[in-house]
Short mmCIF file of all heavy atoms in Angstrom, two decimals:
data_model
loop_
_atom_site.label_atom_id
_atom_site.label_comp_id
_atom_site.label_asym_id
_atom_site.label_seq_id
_atom_site.Cartn_x
_atom_site.Cartn_y
_atom_site.Cartn_z
N GLY A 12 64.92 17.47 -69.32
CA GLY A 12 65.40 16.26 -70.00
C GLY A 12 66.50 16.60 -71.00
O GLY A 12 66.78 17.75 -71.29
N GLY A 13 67.16 15.56 -71.49
CA GLY A 13 68.21 15.77 -72.48
C GLY A 13 68.99 14.50 -72.73
O GLY A 13 68.59 13.43 -72.36
N VAL A 14 70.14 14.69 -73.37
CA VAL A 14 71.03 13.60 -73.72
C VAL A 14 72.32 13.76 -72.90
O VAL A 14 72.95 14.83 -72.94
CB VAL A 14 71.37 13.58 -75.24
CG1 VAL A 14 72.31 12.43 -75.56
CG2 VAL A 14 70.10 13.50 -76.06
N VAL A 15 72.67 12.72 -72.21
CA VAL A 15 73.91 12.73 -71.39
C VAL A 15 74.66 11.41 -71.58
O VAL A 15 74.09 10.44 -72.10
CB VAL A 15 73.63 12.93 -69.88
CG1 VAL A 15 73.00 14.31 -69.63
CG2 VAL A 15 72.72 11.83 -69.33
N ARG A 16 75.90 11.41 -71.14
CA ARG A 16 76.73 10.19 -71.21
C ARG A 16 76.58 9.42 -69.90
O ARG A 16 76.25 10.00 -68.88
CB ARG A 16 78.21 10.57 -71.43
CG ARG A 16 78.43 11.31 -72.75
CD ARG A 16 79.92 11.57 -72.95
NE ARG A 16 80.17 12.36 -74.14
CZ ARG A 16 80.25 11.83 -75.35
NH1 ARG A 16 80.12 10.52 -75.53
NH2 ARG A 16 80.49 12.60 -76.40
N PRO A 17 76.87 8.14 -69.95
CA PRO A 17 76.80 7.33 -68.74
C PRO A 17 77.72 7.94 -67.65
O PRO A 17 78.83 8.37 -67.93
CB PRO A 17 77.32 5.96 -69.19
CG PRO A 17 76.97 5.89 -70.64
CD PRO A 17 77.12 7.29 -71.15
N GLY A 18 77.18 7.93 -66.43
CA GLY A 18 77.93 8.49 -65.31
C GLY A 18 77.65 9.96 -65.05
O GLY A 18 77.99 10.47 -63.99
N GLU A 19 77.04 10.62 -65.99
CA GLU A 19 76.72 12.03 -65.82
C GLU A 19 75.42 12.24 -65.04
O GLU A 19 74.77 11.27 -64.69
CB GLU A 19 76.67 12.72 -67.19
CG GLU A 19 78.01 12.76 -67.89
CD GLU A 19 78.01 13.55 -69.18
OE1 GLU A 19 76.90 13.74 -69.74
OE2 GLU A 19 79.09 13.94 -69.65
N SER A 20 75.12 13.51 -64.81
CA SER A 20 73.94 13.85 -63.99
C SER A 20 72.95 14.71 -64.80
O SER A 20 73.33 15.36 -65.78
CB SER A 20 74.36 14.62 -62.74
OG SER A 20 75.22 13.86 -61.93
N LEU A 21 71.73 14.72 -64.34
CA LEU A 21 70.69 15.52 -64.94
C LEU A 21 69.63 15.79 -63.86
O LEU A 21 69.40 14.94 -62.99
CB LEU A 21 70.03 14.71 -66.09
CG LEU A 21 69.36 15.43 -67.25
CD1 LEU A 21 70.34 16.38 -67.95
CD2 LEU A 21 68.83 14.42 -68.23
N THR A 22 69.02 16.97 -63.93
CA THR A 22 67.98 17.29 -62.96
C THR A 22 66.70 17.63 -63.71
O THR A 22 66.67 18.49 -64.60
CB THR A 22 68.36 18.51 -62.10
OG1 THR A 22 69.56 18.21 -61.40
CG2 THR A 22 67.28 18.83 -61.10
N LEU A 23 65.63 16.93 -63.36
CA LEU A 23 64.31 17.21 -63.91
C LEU A 23 63.50 18.07 -62.92
O LEU A 23 63.67 17.94 -61.72
CB LEU A 23 63.56 15.90 -64.15
CG LEU A 23 64.22 14.84 -65.01
CD1 LEU A 23 63.30 13.65 -65.20
CD2 LEU A 23 64.61 15.41 -66.37
N SER A 24 62.69 18.92 -63.49
CA SER A 24 61.77 19.75 -62.71
C SER A 24 60.35 19.56 -63.18
O SER A 24 60.11 19.31 -64.35
CB SER A 24 62.14 21.24 -62.82
OG SER A 24 63.45 21.47 -62.38
N CYS A 25 59.42 19.71 -62.27
CA CYS A 25 57.98 19.66 -62.59
C CYS A 25 57.26 20.70 -61.80
O CYS A 25 57.31 20.67 -60.56
CB CYS A 25 57.43 18.27 -62.29
SG CYS A 25 55.64 18.15 -62.45
N VAL A 26 56.59 21.61 -62.49
CA VAL A 26 55.85 22.68 -61.85
C VAL A 26 54.35 22.44 -62.06
O VAL A 26 53.92 22.18 -63.18
CB VAL A 26 56.23 24.05 -62.45
CG1 VAL A 26 55.41 25.14 -61.81
CG2 VAL A 26 57.71 24.31 -62.25
N ALA A 27 53.60 22.57 -61.00
CA ALA A 27 52.14 22.56 -61.06
C ALA A 27 51.68 23.99 -61.23
O ALA A 27 51.87 24.82 -60.33
CB ALA A 27 51.54 21.92 -59.83
N SER A 28 51.10 24.28 -62.41
CA SER A 28 50.67 25.63 -62.66
C SER A 28 49.20 25.77 -62.39
O SER A 28 48.43 24.79 -62.49
CB SER A 28 50.97 26.02 -64.14
OG SER A 28 50.19 25.18 -64.99
N GLY A 29 48.76 26.98 -62.07
CA GLY A 29 47.35 27.23 -61.74
C GLY A 29 47.24 27.78 -60.36
O GLY A 29 48.24 27.98 -59.64
N ARG A 30 46.02 28.01 -59.91
CA ARG A 30 45.77 28.56 -58.56
C ARG A 30 45.64 27.39 -57.61
O ARG A 30 44.56 26.95 -57.26
CB ARG A 30 44.54 29.43 -58.61
CG ARG A 30 44.66 30.66 -59.51
CD ARG A 30 43.40 31.46 -59.52
NE ARG A 30 43.08 31.94 -58.19
CZ ARG A 30 41.85 32.21 -57.78
NH1 ARG A 30 40.83 32.02 -58.59
NH2 ARG A 30 41.63 32.64 -56.56
N ILE A 31 46.79 26.95 -57.17
CA ILE A 31 46.87 25.74 -56.35
C ILE A 31 46.56 26.02 -54.89
O ILE A 31 47.08 27.01 -54.31
CB ILE A 31 48.30 25.11 -56.46
CG1 ILE A 31 48.68 24.88 -57.92
CG2 ILE A 31 48.38 23.84 -55.64
CD1 ILE A 31 47.89 23.84 -58.61
N PHE A 32 45.76 25.15 -54.30
CA PHE A 32 45.53 25.22 -52.86
C PHE A 32 46.41 24.21 -52.16
O PHE A 32 47.07 24.53 -51.17
CB PHE A 32 44.06 24.96 -52.53
CG PHE A 32 43.79 24.84 -51.06
CD1 PHE A 32 43.78 25.98 -50.26
CD2 PHE A 32 43.53 23.63 -50.47
CE1 PHE A 32 43.54 25.90 -48.90
CE2 PHE A 32 43.31 23.52 -49.11
CZ PHE A 32 43.31 24.65 -48.33
N SER A 33 46.40 22.98 -52.67
CA SER A 33 47.23 21.95 -52.04
C SER A 33 47.52 20.83 -53.05
O SER A 33 46.74 20.63 -53.98
CB SER A 33 46.60 21.36 -50.80
OG SER A 33 45.40 20.65 -51.12
#
Side-chain angles (χ1 to χ4, degrees):
V14 180
V15 295
R16 298 183 183 277
E19 293 184 341
S20 298
L21 206 58
T22 301
L23 305 182
S24 300
C25 171
V26 179
S28 64
R30 297 179 61 207
I31 306 293
F32 173 74
S33 66

